[in-house]
Structures are given as structure tokens and as C-alpha cells.
Amino acid sequence: MSVKNKPSISWYCIMTVWRVMLPSSSCFAGYLSVLAVVLKTNNASPWTNEFDKVELSCVIESISTINPRIEWKKITSGGPSYVYFDKKIYGDLENRAVIREPATLLITNATRSDTAKYRCEVTAAEDQKAFDEILIDLVVRVKPVVPKCSVPKSVPLGKSAELSCVEEEGFPKSRYQWFKNMEEIPDDPKTSVKFFNSSYTLSTETGTLKFISVRKEDAGEYYCRAKNDAGHTQCAPQKMEVYDIDIVGIILGVLVVVVVLLCITVGICCAYKQGYFSSQQQTGNNYKVPAKGDGVDYVRTEDEGDFRHKSSFVI
Ligand SMILES: *[C@@H]1O[C@H](CO)[C@@H](O)[C@H](O)[C@H]1NC(C)=O
Ligand SMILES: *[C@@H]1O[C@H](CO)[C@@H](O)[C@H](O)[C@H]1NC(C)=O
């Protein structure tokens, strides 16, 4: 079709140049305009918020055919599908769109799935250039829903902390802001006197607020806001506390444990030396120092040792 149209398009171009060059010659221009169907739009990339109306403007600037064929197609990644032909609306838009004569498509209650490219095509059989089309890029904006926020309840002083915020309904994709005690946290702490010494990094794209080393001053009530062109929503504030790990306390605790262990060890040693475990000491002597005892003891020990040796061998 495009190949067939080529000569008439270039013909039309020449005519247009003439028309621009000779604007006063309205009679001439009128004559030229009957040669071709020409479309134009008031807005090639309209947008609307979800559940609002939107106009996909397709204006027939010139035509001489009385009953042109007007069609609208929706172009998605799956290919084109009919929205309007034979004077009827089809598909998903069936009860949500009307045609405003002659060719403009009016969507009365847009949904997020309407975001796509739409093509207005007009075929005018009696015109020399019998076909024209125009592409409209529609964006239906979706307001963010309440984001999912995660704030750690308490963080040890000097440790890292991560606060996250996620919202996935919004279109265009949500961006994020964080607030501490109702005050917006700047993207860069160095730009603010109040946050100057804070060690955080803030990503407005991912919604992550990361502290490298938490300070006492970082404690507070945090909430996040997801926003896009359609609006914004935020989660409820959540408290983050910062607690001090008491180094002195820990060292004292460790010392106490060490001292207690030492006392126990010393106690056991003393008791041992003063013969509290004397019976055990004797049997121990039988094994460890067999030569020291009398002959009987020695033989018995050797027997036992032999036996043990054998049994362990069997096992
Ligand atoms: C638009 O459509 C939604 C559902 O898709 C419906 O809940 C809402 O009431 C409609 N609004 C109008 C004005 O028809
Ligand atoms: C930041 O730290 C410096 C040096 O530790 C201190 O002098 C200054 O007062 C601090 N600023 C704030 C706003 O806390």
C-alpha cells in the first residue's frame, strides 16, 4: 500500500510547498486540498489519569471523498488490534469510548491498560492521495497506592541501617521521598545544616534510605512518600530508635566472668591439694604411676592395660 502511495505523497508534498509559498492564493489552495486526504492531531501524545476521560484527536484537514473509511487501531507489543471500524467500537474500549465526528476517539473512562499507541487511519477512495494515518501515543497515569515501608525498630549506635519503601502500582513508575519527624530528608545530607553529619544515602528511584553509621541524632519517626505525575501517597510514620552499646559495661561483664572462673579454678586447685579428692587421687596414681606402688598393684595395672588394649583392638 505504501509503495502504491509513494508517488501521490511526493505529489502532495510539492503541492504543500506551493501552498505555503502562495498563502494568499486561497482559490489555488482550495483546489489543491481536494487532491488528498490529510489528517492532523491537536495532541500526538495525550495523557490522562486513570478513570478520567481523554481525547485522541484525529482531525481531517482536507478530504473530497464523502464517505471515507475511518478506522482506529491500538498498537501494543502483541501487534495492532481494532478499536473502531465500520462505525463501531470494538474490544476492551467497547463501552468506554465514542467517536466524535468525524474521526476523533473519546475515551470516557480510561484504564491503565489503555496506555498504548493508537493509529487513526482514513481511506478516501475518491481522493488522489486516498490514505492517511496518524499515530497517537496515549499514557494513562496511575496514582501510587500506599507504599510498603520498612523501618528498623532499633539500631545500635554506629551500626548501619536500611529503610526501604516500595510501591508498584503507580504509572509512570513512582519516585520516593523520605521524611523524618515530618520534615523531608534531602537527597544529599551535605546540603542541609540539620542533616550535615548524618551518614545516609538516599535513592529517590529505589526508595532506599541507607545509614552507613547511625548516630544518636538519626533516631526519630520516619515515613516515605511514593509520587508520580498522577499524585502521591505515603505510609504511616514508624519509630527508629538508636541504642548505645555500653562498651564499659561489656568489659566489666567480661571481667566479672573471668574473675568468677578464676575463683572456681583456684578453689578446685586448693581443694585438690588439701586432699579432698584423695580416693580419686589413689586410683589415678595406679594408672599414671604404676611403678610407684607395690608389685601387686603393678601387675594388676598391666593386666588391665592389656585387657583394654585387646578390647579396643576387637572393637
Ligand atoms: C470507570 O471504571 C471503573 C472500573 O473500571 C469504575 O469503577 C468507575 O465507576 C468508572 N467510572 C465512571 C465515571 O464510569
Ligand atoms: C557536625 O560535626 C561537627 C564536628 O564533629 C560539629 O562541629 C558540628 O556542630 C556538627 N553539626 C551538626 C549540625 O550536628
Side-chain angles (χ1 to χ4, degrees):
M1 198 165 222
S2 57
V3 174
K4 212 169 70 185
N5 273 343
K6 249 179 194 155
S8 50
I9 286 173
S10 51
W11 171 238
Y12 168 69
C13 288
I14 294 163
M15 291 300 150
T16 309
V17 169
W18 280 11
R19 208 154 50 148
V20 169
M21 282 162 61
L22 304 164
S24 54
S25 165
S26 60
C27 149
F28 190 47
Y31 168 72
L32 282 169
S33 63
V34 301
L35 296 173
V37 53
V38 179
L39 303 181
K40 72 161 205 188
T41 181
N42 297 329
N43 187 357
S45 37
W47 61 268
T48 187
N49 290 339
E50 197 170 33
F51 311 127
D52 276 355
K53 61 178 188 301
V54 64
E55 181 187 275
L56 276 58
S57 145
C58 179
V59 177
I60 302 178
E61 207 175 31
S62 91
I63 198 162
S64 59
T65 305
I66 290 149
N67 249 330
R69 197 172 76 216
I70 297 164
E71 292 176 354
W72 275 96
K73 283 170 191 154
K74 178 179 181 177
I75 297 140
T76 57
S77 52
S81 61
Y82 272 107
V83 168
Y84 177 78
F85 78 94
D86 211 7
K87 303 205 185 301
K88 275 208 260 323
I89 307 273
Y90 287 89
D92 181 39
L93 278 168
E94 202 174 336
N95 297 310
R96 296 189 291 118
V98 290
I99 286 287
R100 181 187 287 160
E101 291 296 330
T104 290
L105 183 70
L106 195 69
I107 298 177
T108 51
N109 185 0
T111 71
R112 58 190 72 189
S113 61
D114 294 340
T115 293
K117 288 190 168 59
Y118 293 82
R119 197 163 63 208
C120 171
E121 305 174 355
V122 176
T123 311
E126 287 137 42
D127 284 74
Q128 193 160 13
K129 176 188 171 285
F131 180 79
D132 198 12
E133 62 182 28
I134 209 159
L135 201 62
I136 310 286
D137 196 355
L138 172 67
V139 172
V140 179
R141 297 174 176 175
V142 181
K143 196 182 157 177
V145 296
V146 174
K148 288 191 186 75
C149 300
S150 143
V151 176
K153 280 198 165 42
S154 68
V155 184
L157 184 71
K159 293 281 179 258
S160 64
E162 189 171 314
L163 287 70
S164 71
C165 181
V166 181
E167 193 284 324
E168 276 165 346
E169 297 290 312
F171 185 84
K173 210 174 162 338
S174 287
R175 291 171 68 80
Y176 303 93
Q177 287 169 292
W178 273 98
F179 294 79
K180 181 194 163 194
N181 302 333
M182 314 299 275
E183 189 181 339
E184 191 183 347
I185 299 172
D187 291 2
D188 178 3
K190 298 293 173 220
T191 61
S192 149
V193 176
K194 212 166 198 167
F195 293 95
F196 192 83
N197 286 343
S198 191
S199 66
Y200 69 81
T201 53
L202 171 59
S203 165
T204 56
E205 252 127 81
T206 64
T208 310
L209 174 63
K210 249 188 208 148
F211 291 92
I212 294 156
S213 167
V214 167
R215 304 171 309 151
K216 268 256 183 294
E217 293 81 5
D218 292 325
E221 283 205 323
Y222 287 86
Y223 70 87
C224 162
R225 174 183 289 172
K227 59 166 184 177
N228 66 10
D229 299 330
H232 61 79
T233 42
Q234 58 209 38
C235 59
Q238 295 173 50
K239 197 173 246 168
M240 181 174 89
E241 277 166 0
V242 176
Y243 64 90
D244 204 344
I245 315 180
D246 190 354
I247 300 289
V248 176
I250 287 172
I251 290 171
L252 274 179
V254 169
L255 272 179
V256 165
V257 169
V258 166
V259 165
V260 166
L261 281 176
L262 265 177
C263 287
I264 290 169
T265 314
V266 166
I268 288 172
C269 280
C270 291
Y272 190 83
K273 274 199 181 133
Q274 284 175 9
Y276 277 100
F277 304 110
S278 56
S279 57
Q280 281 160 8
Q281 202 175 350
Q282 260 173 12
T283 47
N285 269 351
N286 281 346
Y287 280 102
K288 279 177 187 158
V289 226
K292 186 190 129 202
D294 50 4
V296 186
D297 252 347
Y298 177 72
V299 170
R300 202 207 295 158
T301 312
E302 221 186 28
D303 276 346
E304 259 181 51
D306 245 335
F307 173 70
R308 286 182 67 176
H309 182 76
K310 268 183 204 159
S311 71
S312 67
F313 216 74
V314 171
I315 289 160

